[in-house]
Amino acid sequence: MSRQMPTDAMPAATTTINANEEETGRAPANRRVTQRLGLASVLGVTILALVYFSSGAIRDRHTDGGVGADALAVVQPPLPPPPVDPSRNVVSLEHGLTVYTANCVICHGAAGLGDGPQAAPLDPKPRNFSSGWFKIGTTRSGLPSDDDLAATIRHGMLPAAMPPWGQLTDGEQRSLALAVRHLAIEGRMADKLKRDPGFGRDKALALAHAALDSGPAIVLPPKPTKVDLERGKIFYLNNCAACHDPDGRGRLRDDLVDNDENPIKARDFTRGQFKGGDTLEDIAMRITRGIPGSPMPANPTLAPDDLWNTAAYVRAFFENAGK
């Protein structure tokens, strides 16, 4: 005999219970399945509701700038740089002189003689281009190549007052290199005519060109696959430590001067500020060519092993400075 619940008390899904179920307390298999499905449905709806309301709360916090903003923020790709005015990439002497006037006159002077309005307090002094003494380059004598000059403009001469000019376009840097060469030759010619007015402008100009010709580039010997720091240390202590100190800090000598008799300090290698670059090739070039206008001599006949071992040892001062 079965018993039916009142209609107003029945759940949405009607369930029939017989006497055997009451006596045994067990539901048949199909009823147990129905119960499980009903429980799964309730759990599913609950989870969906939680997800919905949670996501809504996160969206609200995102909109209000709350905690969820970081979680949902979409990483945007960086905006492309604004297009460069094509006129800035023109490579010409005229362009270079314009850029020079806007950026370089304040230190190097209108004629490139190192006598700009801000030159007096600087130490070391700005370069007088007409002297032909350019510290950084890859040529044996005379002016550096145009590529050398552009690289110096790009990287600067820190820790001296000459800053990097990476904000200039490649065209502006190369145009500036042409302007520096032009001012150097014009200044050398003017100096000759000042000392010998009867020499003649054309002859003085030809003489200036000859004196400041960049000449052939230095070709370094092939770099070895392995360097010997112990041999580099021996060469350094015998040939370099007198100015740069055994510990590479360059603090002991106070009698060094440049070609204009201005006091100058030896490079502190531990700071990692190598003029002309800090790669092994850059340092080897400085050792080979020297630094014209400074006490740093050229070493054009140095044996390749001594060159590369010493360059590696010099670079190791910076590499090991923090250890």
Side-chain angles (χ1 to χ4, degrees):
M1 178 177 182
S2 63
R3 182 178 60 192
Q4 191 170 12
M5 296 176 64
T7 305
D8 56 353
M10 291 175 64
T14 302
T15 305
T16 302
I17 306 175
N18 57 35
N20 290 333
E21 292 174 29
E22 288 182 335
E23 294 173 357
T24 61
R26 292 195 302 248
N30 61 345
R31 171 160 160 64
R32 290 197 299 272
V33 171
T34 303
Q35 288 175 332
R36 291 170 185 170
L37 289 174
L39 179 59
S41 300
V42 171
L43 288 174
V45 171
T46 303
I47 292 172
L48 287 174
L50 288 173
V51 170
Y52 175 80
F53 287 111
S54 298
S55 62
I58 292 175
R59 284 195 299 271
D60 291 341
R61 290 198 298 273
H62 174 64
T63 304
D64 296 336
V67 177
D70 291 338
L72 291 182
V74 177
V75 178
Q76 297 292 338
L79 294 176
V84 176
D85 183 349
S87 65
R88 293 184 61 192
N89 273 323
V90 172
V91 179
S92 70
L93 174 59
E94 181 181 8
H95 186 201
L97 291 172
T98 300
V99 177
Y100 178 89
T101 300
N103 298 280
C104 313
V105 165
I106 190 170
C107 292
H108 289 284
L113 301 179
D115 56 355
Q118 294 296 323
L122 298 181
D123 181 24
K125 301 300 181 185
R127 181 64 45 199
N128 174 358
F129 301 144
S130 68
S131 70
W133 299 108
F134 287 81
K135 292 184 176 181
I136 305 302
T138 58
T139 58
R140 289 286 180 194
S141 60
L143 274 175
S145 69
D146 289 345
D147 286 342
D148 292 334
L149 292 172
T152 299
I153 293 165
R154 185 179 309 115
H155 299 300
M157 294 284 284
L158 297 176
M162 170 71 178
W165 290 92
Q167 72 271 32
L168 300 179
T169 67
D170 182 71
E172 288 169 332
Q173 293 167 1
R174 293 188 176 279
S175 294
L176 263 180
L178 298 179
V180 169
R181 184 177 300 280
H182 169 77
L183 292 173
I185 292 173
E186 289 286 313
R188 177 64 68 92
M189 178 187 68
D191 182 66
K192 176 61 178 176
L193 292 177
K194 182 179 179 180
R195 292 184 287 106
D196 189 357
F199 192 76
R201 179 181 173 84
D202 289 342
K203 288 176 61 179
L205 182 60
L207 190 65
H209 272 287
L212 297 177
D213 179 67
S214 59
I218 296 171
V219 178
L220 295 174
K223 185 171 65 173
T225 56
K226 185 177 180 180
V227 294
D228 187 337
L229 291 180
E230 284 303 314
R231 288 189 60 182
K233 178 180 180 179
I234 293 172
F235 185 92
Y236 175 88
L237 292 175
N238 290 334
N239 298 276
C240 313
C243 291
H244 291 283
D245 303 346
D247 63 1
R249 296 185 181 275
R251 297 177 297 181
L252 300 181
R253 292 286 295 271
D254 59 5
D255 58 342
L256 301 175
V257 296
D258 64 13
N259 58 309
D260 293 322
E261 298 300 316
N262 297 311
I264 190 172
K265 297 292 291 184
R267 178 67 43 194
D268 180 354
F269 297 136
T270 65
R271 296 180 63 184
Q273 292 179 329
F274 296 94
K275 288 185 177 179
D278 60 1
T279 69
L280 202 60
E281 291 82 358
D282 293 330
I283 298 171
M285 181 63 72
R286 299 286 76 74
I287 295 172
T288 300
R289 183 180 186 262
I291 300 182
S294 81
M296 174 66 188
N299 296 274
T301 60
L302 198 59
D305 283 346
D306 287 333
L307 172 64
W308 293 111
N309 292 335
T310 306
Y313 185 74
V314 166
R315 197 175 192 283
F317 280 118
F318 170 62
E319 294 173 340
N320 297 327
K323 297 179 180 179

